[in-house]
Structures are given as C-alpha cells and as structure tokens.
Amino acid sequence: ETGVTQSPTHLIKTRGQQVTLRCSSQSGHNTVSWYQQALGQGPQFIFQYYREEENGRGNFPPRFSGLQFPNYSSELNVNALELDDSALYLCASSLGTGINEQFFGPGTRLTVL
Amino acid sequence: AQSVTQLGSHVSVSEGALVLLRCNYSSSVPPYLFWYVQYPNQGLQLLLKYTSAATLVKGINGFEAEFKKSETSFHLTKPSAHMSDAAEYFCAVSVRTGANNLFFGTGTRLTVIP
C-alpha cells in the first residue's frame, strides 16, 4: 500500500509567479485536503476535495485553487505569489468526508523570494 | 467556531520522566479531538483520536489522552519519555458536519534530555 506522496519536495519561486503542487492520495482514498503550515505554526486548512469537487474551504483567497483528478490525485495552484506564501504545504488523504483518519504526506516546502 | 490552544510552545523533560502536553479546545458542537506528531522534515502522524467513545484514549508509542468536557481539555501524556519522543506535537479539533477539516493548535516542541 502506497502512502501519500507529494511533489516537488522543495520549490523556490519569486513574488508574482505561479506555482503548482501535486499530491497522490493513499490507495483507496477519495478525499484530499490541503494545509498550509507557516514556520513555527500549526497547519491551516486551505480546502478539501471529495470525488473531484471542492468540499470545504478555509480562509484563503481565491488565488489559491485546486483540482482533484479521477484517480483522486490532486493539485494545489497558487497565483500571484506573495512572500507570506512561503510555507510547508501538506496534503492529506482520507476515505470519505466523515471523521476518518487523514494520512499526511511529507509536504512541499515553498520559498517565495 | 472551533479552535485549540496548546499551552507551552516548548516542553523539556528528562528521559524516563512523565510527558504532559496541554491542549484546551473550543467548540460550539461536540468535537472530535486529535493529537498528531511531526518529526523534522516529515508530515504529520496520528497519535490518537477522541470520537466520543471512551474518554481515556490510548494511542501509539505509549501515549494517551483524556477528554475532559468540564475542563474543555484533551491533554497528552506518556508515563516515561524516550529520546525518540523528541518532536513537535499538535492538538487538533474537528466537527461532525461538513468537511472533516482539522483545526490545529500552534504546536508544542518536546525536547527529551538524556
């Protein structure tokens, strides 16, 4: 059974650029959630996708967008990058939208210069 | 609205000593509560969760937590600290409706002194 994987591991961008982060969910999981973890902080919920539809969104601006594909993998897109977007981006997969365990990937470290 | 507060951003204990990491929650509806551990440069791993069954929850690696509604607390304990317990610990709350997103505290870094 393959766990949650994320790519790339690290990424450096400049302010104003756009970035796409990728996540492959654990086998059998149909729900993907994305979190932003700033340095020294706890993760903050960005949004969740369930069966290719957005199923909840945190307090993040529209320049944060996402997709979920038929194989349940997911992308997080961030446009017009700002310095404060520098963070560890975590993807978590789970089965359904009930209170089932979310399995986290290792994260993508994004640095915006 | 849901939130958690973790008292103490850094906790140091001696190897073999009791580990106590504090978490208080706020929720307008009955909550689900979680403790996660994060090792350097890794994602989060679930230690244990409370889902309204037994109030004393046992997790992995010898950790346990007790849900106390009257105190709105869900403190994490381990009787005897091991060097491998050194990590960042996060308390999180979720609710039973809508997306099962987690609201995390700011974390507590546990240092184990040999």
Side-chain angles (χ1 to χ4, degrees), chain A residues 23 25 28-32 49-53 67-75:
Chain A
C23 170
S25 60
H29 287 180
N30 53 16
T31 303
V32 171
Y49 279 84
Y50 171 62
R51 293 184 176 179
E52 303 178 60
E53 297 287 333
L67 284 173
Q68 187 178 33
F69 301 99
N71 67 354
Y72 302 128
S73 65
S74 177
E75 287 182 355

Side-chain angles (χ1 to χ4, degrees), chain B residues 24-113:
Chain B
N24 288 88
Y25 71 90
S26 173
S27 178
S28 55
V29 297
Y32 289 116
L33 294 160
F34 306 80
W35 275 99
Y36 281 85
V37 62
Q38 186 176 35
Y39 297 100
N41 300 315
Q42 294 188 27
L44 300 169
Q45 180 183 10
L46 180 67
L47 281 176
L48 49 81
K49 63 180 179 182
Y50 166 76
T51 57
S52 79
T55 57
L56 182 61
V57 181
K58 294 186 183 301
I60 62 171
N61 300 340
F63 284 94
E64 63 181 39
E66 185 172 7
F67 174 71
K68 292 186 176 180
K69 185 178 179 180
S70 61
E71 299 177 7
T72 61
S73 68
F74 190 58
H75 301 331
L76 181 71
T77 61
K78 181 174 180 179
S80 177
H82 191 272
M83 295 299 295
S84 61
D85 295 327
E88 188 92 21
Y89 291 80
F90 292 95
C91 181
V93 63
S94 185
V95 295
R96 307 175 189 193
T97 58
N100 60 338
N101 52 295
L102 298 164
F103 296 86
F104 286 89
T106 53
T108 297
R109 181 168 299 279
L110 176 66
T111 299
V112 182
I113 304 167

Side-chain angles (χ1 to χ4, degrees), chain A:
Chain A
E1 183 177 273
T2 306
V4 179
T5 60
Q6 293 186 242
S7 63
T9 305
H10 295 86
L11 202 52
I12 299 175
K13 292 285 188 178
T14 56
R15 195 169 46 182
Q17 285 188 311
Q18 177 267 343
V19 69
T20 297
L21 311 182
R22 295 178 174 83
C23 170
S24 292
S25 60
Q26 185 164 309
S27 177
H29 287 180
N30 53 16
T31 303
V32 171
S33 303
W34 286 91
Y35 294 83
Q36 180 195 66
Q37 185 179 15
L39 197 62
Q41 300 296 317
Q44 284 195 298
F45 175 69
I46 302 174
F47 43 56
Q48 180 182 86
Y49 279 84
Y50 171 62
R51 293 184 176 179
E52 303 178 60
E53 297 287 333
E54 187 177 290
N55 183 51
R57 187 180 183 92
N59 189 26
F60 281 82
R63 59 189 184 84
F64 285 78
S65 63
L67 284 173
Q68 187 178 33
F69 301 99
N71 67 354
Y72 302 128
S73 65
S74 177
E75 287 182 355
L76 163 65
N77 299 289
V78 186
N79 294 322
L81 284 167
E82 300 177 359
L83 297 179
D84 285 349
D85 295 334
S86 295
L88 180 68
Y89 288 84
L90 296 165
C91 165
S93 75
S94 58
L95 181 60
T97 58
I99 301 298
N100 296 311
E101 181 178 350
Q102 296 189 27
F103 291 83
F104 283 81
T108 293
R109 172 76 61 188
L110 172 64
T111 301
V112 182
L113 302 177

